[in-house]
Each structure stands twice: as structure tokens, then as C-alpha cells.
Amino acid sequence: MILRPLCSYLVAFVLMMASPLSSHASKNHADECLLHDSWRTVDSYQLSAQNSANAEAISHSESAIFVAGSANASPIQTHWIVRRSLDRGQTWRTVDQVAGQFNKALGVAYDPGSRSIYAVGFTDRAAGFFGWTVRKSANNGQSWATVDTFPESAGEYSIAHGVSAGPNGIIYVTGVRGVGPGSVLTTRRSDDGGATWRTVDSYSTAEGTHANSVLAAKNGGVFVGGFERLAPGQQGSWIVRFSRNGRTNWTTVDRLPNNNNTSLVLGGTISDTLKGRQQVVFVGSYLDENNVAHWITRRAFANRPTAWSMIDDYADATGGAEALAATFSRGPQIFVAGAQYSRQITEPTYITRRADTTDDVFGTTDLVSGETVPNTAISTSAFGAGRSFEGDILTAGSYVDPSTRQSSVWLVRMLPCR
């Protein structure tokens, strides 16, 4: 199973631990932009030539697009990176960079109430450890400060993987504390703009748990997606945790049968309120009995947190696929990004699928390979998805530098409004 570079690291440490859609643009909602027919690349970036860079997550303010990820200054120096565009993707510059040996930004979210942007991931600690890190900008990305490091002890691994802004300026961050059988799915909350934080959910099993995505609904409910292991030798099993108030009484509201095969929540998104309801979507993958990875998308509604349904189960005929991120348009369309691959699993292909959620019919809308996008090699993956304030749809990931065939290049793609 192909996972983002971080996930490959986590599997070692934590678990050890298409028929295309028709190309016409449509306007299905009063606030939805009229989308173009074709995608375009708006940012490709390396901090240092022939050293890898990966774009992981996307968010926006009223006047900027933010993409979070990491870039290597050398083969042994990985920097936390946040890049910003103030002109809807035409130009970009790095606005936050944390240098170190193993630093990565993995999530980013905007709080419209305080007009603050939050980036989460992990940064170096003492003695070779790395730890959960939350950074904040209150001035549209001009300057940044670290507002949470967890735990405070230096000798423990921890990773913040997802962030979401809830009602009344409440910020939620989720991820994992510890590695191996001792790893604990952890969700933290700040009610005061990041000044103070407290852990509101610590969920563990005998063999370890992990969270990848958190989604805060407008009704106050909070959803966390990840995976658990229940017995020695068992692979990860898809779970969704939920609290009606984001503070107490967390329960598991969605599970996939394990059957000794892997199933993982790898990303998620939540819609605007349409017809009085918010759609909650988690995406990921599972391995079938033939060891083929299936790209999956599951959905519930914020007011019905226990009623989940599978709306996309996709595996390419020549191999498998994994869904890694998702975003909604301003109307009823959903876009899911990830990787599709043949039996040569070291060479995934960056793919985006979309559907109108009035009928849940998915089809491939963007496929990035050396054949479809010039100057990219055959190994490409999408890790993040989001939209601009204006409604443009964006995906983020990387492609292998064709000149080296080894180092990856940060990649951002856009399906713009007309």
C-alpha cells in the first residue's frame, strides 16, 4: 500500500509501533463558482535543487491560499514549510520555514473569527526525538509563532497531523503520542486562540492508535479519523471518533471490519451548510483479500454522526489506489485526491476524483503523469486538497524530479473558477 512519505515512516514507527466525468462545467449552487474544464499546475518548488519537497495540506483566508509541507535543504535536513499566494495561485513565496533535521508541516487551517492561520506537524526535539508542534499566524502569514508543543518531555515522539477551526474560535488539533503498541490517538483543544491547550481525547488500544484528520462541525460536534490495532500482528483498522461538544464523551462512531487486512482513515473534509445540513467525509483505503488497495470515501451528516455510508470504493484495474485528502466546492461537488498505482507499487500516479453529491457518481477529473503533465516523471502523488476563498479547487502533492529520478518536487494543482 502506497502512503505519503510520512505515512511510510509512521507505519514503521507507529504500527510497529475511471471513466472520466463529462468535462462540462456546471453551476449547481448560488454561491458556487463556475469551474474551468481543465486543471493547471500553479506551484512547483524545491528548497534546494535535487532535494525532495512535498506539499501536504491546503487552506485559505479571505485574501490568501496557504499550502503546508516540507522541503529538504540536504539529504539529512528537512524543513517545515508553509507557502502563500496572494493572487489566487499566480505567484507563491515561503512565509514560514522551520529548519532542522526532521521537521514537517502536515496540516493547515484558517479560523475566520480571529483571522488566524494554524499549521501543525512536528519539529525536532532534544536527543534526536521529534514532537507535536502547532504554529500560528495572526497577520495572514506575515509572521509565525509556536503556540503548542506536546508533550513537553523531550524523550517522546509525537505528531500533530490534523487541525480544524470550530465555532467561536475553538481550535482542534489531532495526531498521535508515542510509537508502537504504546501509541495513543490524541486530540487537543484551545478555546483562547492558541494561548492554552488541553487534551480532550486520548484513545488507546493494547496495540496502538493514530489520528490523521479532525473536522469541527458548525453544530459543535467534532469528528476525528484514524486507525486502531486491537491484537498483536493485526494491521490498522479504520475508526472515526466523535464528541457532540468537542470536550467530553468521545465515542467511536464508525469502524470498518478488519478481517486481518489494513483499513486507514488518511484524510477528511466537511462541507458548507447546504439545505440545513453539513456533510462530513473521511477518505482512505483498505486492502482486499487479494492485497489490492481500494480508495474509499465514507460520509455522514453532522446531525447524524453514527450513520455512515460508503460513497466511493475505487481500485484501478491494473493495481490499486488510496484516497489521501478531500475538499468540497462551494456547491454540492466533492473532490478527493490521492494516488493510483499499477502492480509496480513504487510508481504511484497523482489522481483527483470528483462527484456531485446529489447523486454520488464519482469519476476521475485529474491525472498527473509524465504523459499528461510535461516535465513530471512517472511517480506522482496527491496528499492535500482545499479551495480558495473565491472557490477555486486545489490539490497538493509531489512528483519525482525527472532529472534525478529520485528527489520529489512540491506540486500544487488548481481547477480555477472562470
Side-chain angles (χ1 to χ4, degrees):
M1 180 177 290
I2 296 296
L3 304 178
R4 69 183 69 187
L6 172 68
C7 290
S8 298
Y9 187 87
L10 289 175
V11 167
F13 280 83
V14 176
L15 290 182
M16 200 175 97
M17 356 171 235
S19 59
L21 288 178
S22 60
S23 61
H24 70 276
S26 60
K27 192 168 184 176
N28 298 308
H29 185 262
D31 294 327
E32 184 185 6
C33 74
L34 187 66
L35 293 169
H36 270 272
D37 297 337
S38 58
W39 293 76
R40 64 184 186 221
T41 296
V42 293
D43 192 28
S44 58
Y45 163 76
Q46 285 182 320
L47 175 63
S48 176
Q50 300 186 2
N51 284 291
S52 290
N54 295 287
E56 298 274 357
I58 301 168
S59 189
H60 70 83
S61 67
E62 288 85 354
S63 59
I65 303 167
F66 296 88
V67 180
S70 62
N72 282 26
S74 73
I76 60 170
Q77 294 288 318
T78 302
H79 293 196
W80 165 302
I81 298 289
V82 178
R83 287 172 63 78
R84 182 188 69 184
S85 174
L86 296 173
D87 51 15
R88 293 179 65 183
Q90 294 184 57
T91 59
W92 297 80
R93 73 180 185 93
T94 299
V95 292
D96 192 31
Q97 181 173 331
V98 182
Q101 184 177 3
F102 204 60
N103 296 341
K104 291 191 176 187
L106 299 172
V108 62
Y110 180 66
D111 173 29
S114 65
R115 296 190 174 182
S116 297
I117 190 87
Y118 293 83
V120 305
F122 56 90
T123 55
D124 293 334
R125 298 286 194 269
F129 289 86
F130 56 82
W132 174 302
T133 302
V134 181
R135 287 175 62 77
K136 173 186 176 180
S137 173
N139 54 12
N140 208 33
Q142 289 296 111
S143 60
W144 295 77
T146 297
V147 293
D148 191 31
T149 56
F150 170 79
E152 293 299 334
S153 58
E156 184 176 0
Y157 292 107
S158 60
I159 296 172
H161 211 298
V163 56
S164 184
N168 303 315
I170 300 170
I171 307 300
Y172 297 93
V173 179
T174 199
V176 62
R177 177 177 183 174
V179 296
S183 61
V184 179
L185 180 156
T186 301
T187 302
R188 286 171 63 76
R189 164 178 168 150
S190 175
D191 292 23
D192 53 12
T196 60
W197 296 82
R198 60 192 173 105
T199 298
V200 291
D201 188 31
S202 293
Y203 173 66
S204 61
T205 65
E207 297 302 313
T209 55
H210 179 82
N212 280 321
S213 180
V214 58
L215 305 172
K218 292 180 179 178
N219 65 6
V222 180
F223 298 80
V224 172
F227 56 90
E228 65 184 355
R229 290 200 306 167
L230 301 176
Q234 186 183 48
Q235 300 301 310
S237 296
W238 171 296
I239 58 169
V240 175
R241 304 272 294 163
F242 172 73
S243 169
R244 292 192 180 277
N245 58 22
R247 296 189 303 272
T248 58
N249 300 320
W250 290 81
T251 59
T252 298
V253 293
D254 190 36
R255 278 190 171 97
L256 288 186
N258 182 267
N259 297 326
N260 295 318
N261 290 324
T262 300
S263 59
L264 308 173
V265 177
L266 298 172
T269 189
I270 192 164
S271 73
D272 294 335
T273 301
L274 294 174
K275 298 181 179 179
R277 299 190 301 179
Q278 270 192 293
Q279 299 181 60
V280 182
V281 165
F282 285 108
V283 302
S285 65
Y286 74 88
L287 288 177
D288 67 18
E289 62 276 8
N290 297 315
N291 211 38
V292 173
H294 289 238
W295 163 306
I296 55 175
T297 303
R298 290 177 63 78
R299 179 182 64 200
F301 293 91
N303 62 342
R304 299 183 62 200
T306 62
W308 291 84
S309 61
M310 187 84 75
I311 59 173
D312 194 24
D313 183 338
Y314 169 72
D316 181 69
T318 62
E322 291 183 308
L324 292 164
T327 190
F328 280 93
S329 71
R330 285 186 169 177
Q333 286 191 330
I334 182 172
F335 293 78
V336 183
Q340 171 180 294
Y341 49 90
S342 68
R343 298 296 180 185
Q344 294 177 301
I345 61 172
T346 59
E347 298 178 345
T349 299
Y350 186 122
I351 179 176
T352 304
R353 288 168 61 76
R354 76 174 175 188
D356 189 316
T357 55
T358 59
D359 57 21
D360 295 335
V361 177
F362 278 84
T364 298
T365 178
D366 191 30
L367 197 66
V368 179
S369 68
E371 288 74 34
T372 60
V373 179
N375 300 318
T376 62
I378 57 176
S379 183
T380 58
S381 298
F383 304 136
R387 73 180 193 218
S388 69
F389 179 76
E390 293 78 10
D392 312 300
I393 303 299
L394 296 105
T395 59
S398 64
Y399 66 90
V400 170
D401 184 343
S403 66
T404 66
R405 306 289 287 184
Q406 292 180 341
S407 61
S408 61
V409 179
W410 174 296
L411 178 65
V412 181
R413 303 268 292 165
M414 176 187 282
L415 185 64
C417 298
R418 294 185 184 276

